[in-house]
Amino acid sequence: MQINGSIALVTGANGGIGTLFVEQLLQFDVAKIYACGRNNSKLAHLVALDSNRIAPVEVDIEKPMSVSAAVNQCSDITLLINNAGTSLNEGLISSKNLDAARKEMEINYFGTLSMCRAFAPILKQSGGGAIVNMLSLIGKVNLPFSGSYSASKAAAISMTQGIRAELTGQGTLVVAVMPGTVNTELAKDWPNPKVEPAEVVRATLKSVIDGEEDVYPGEQATQISSQLLTDPKGVEKYLARFLPGMELAGTDA
Ligand SMILES: NC(=O)c1ccc[n+]([C@@H]2O[C@H](COP(=O)([O-])OP(=O)(O)OC[C@H]3O[C@@H](n4cnc5c(N)ncnc54)[C@H](OP(=O)(O)O)[C@@H]3O)[C@@H](O)[C@H]2O)c1
């Protein structure tokens, strides 16, 4: 797919990776970017980058009414980037209740799914276009430190495969992005190494252009994803050492 000339929508545009999506899309000759965030006040600095091409849109992907309103405001998109997500860093057993697990599932799974469902007809109208889902390597293998987050990303990986199959007929490219740890606020309590968000976004936009469906940006993701093919149990056992509540920030994995 050509990014030049496209009309993109980025959710979680004010976050670490989202901001880089907006900045790098601007370097292409995109026609328009809908920069979406939960609060317009957090988007002003992005709009200032190029007010002719960037339109701020308030969207909370957890709220069906908010997603419907976004469809009305952004009815011409060709590239949907589902980047919004959350990690509450809770364990599956040790967490005191199911609140974190439900919240992560609401945002990372149901929120992303409802954006895909809402915008699929618009992408069809525009000739196919592309959907990018920001998933995670720890959707492929559980990191117990953020066990319920890992599970929500595992669900989102499966959902992405199913959506890809359903949208093949309308010519929509569906890209699954599975980075390791990225240097943003969301991963501030996670161990090193961390890939820079700029690298994640570069690899993602390249995969959209090349029509590559699965992307593992950065050395850590490349290495672990290939290890998962040869020694999945070994990777599981390695990550099993990182338990909920541990002090991991600044340490090396
Ligand atoms: N950082 C990592 O190590 C890493 C690794 C793999 C995958 N990812 C994924 O990459 C994506 C971006 O994460 P990031 O690292 O850039 O984190 P971040 O800086 O914390 O940004 C997360 C963004 O998602 C938004 N968001 C959260 N809940 C939302 C909702 N209900 N509706 C709309 N927007 C919502 C946040 O908005 P507010 O500012 O309003 O909270 C924020 O803009 C996420 O899907 C994350 O799971 C991150």
Side-chain angles (χ1 to χ4, degrees), residues 17 94 132 134 140 164 171 174 177 213:
I17 298 174
S94 56
V132 170
M134 281 303 301
K140 288 264 175 187
R164 181 181 292 141
V174 179
V177 190
E213 294 179 343

Side-chain angles (χ1 to χ4, degrees), residues 12-18 38 42 59-62 83-86 107-108 134-136 149 153 179-187 190:
N14 61 293
I17 298 174
R38 284 194 278 200
K42 290 188 185 173
V59 187
D60 184 332
I61 64 167
E62 263 185 280
N83 165 71
T86 198
I107 296 176
N108 300 338
M134 281 303 301
L135 306 166
S136 175
Y149 168 78
K153 290 292 184 178
T181 312
V182 188
N183 191 11
T184 69
E185 182 64 21
L186 182 141
W190 295 356

Side-chain angles (χ1 to χ4, degrees), residues 194-209:
K194 295 181 185 178
V195 62
E196 289 305 316
E199 191 178 338
V200 172
V201 170
R202 250 192 313 277
T204 302
L205 296 181
K206 183 177 183 314
S207 69
V208 171
I209 294 166

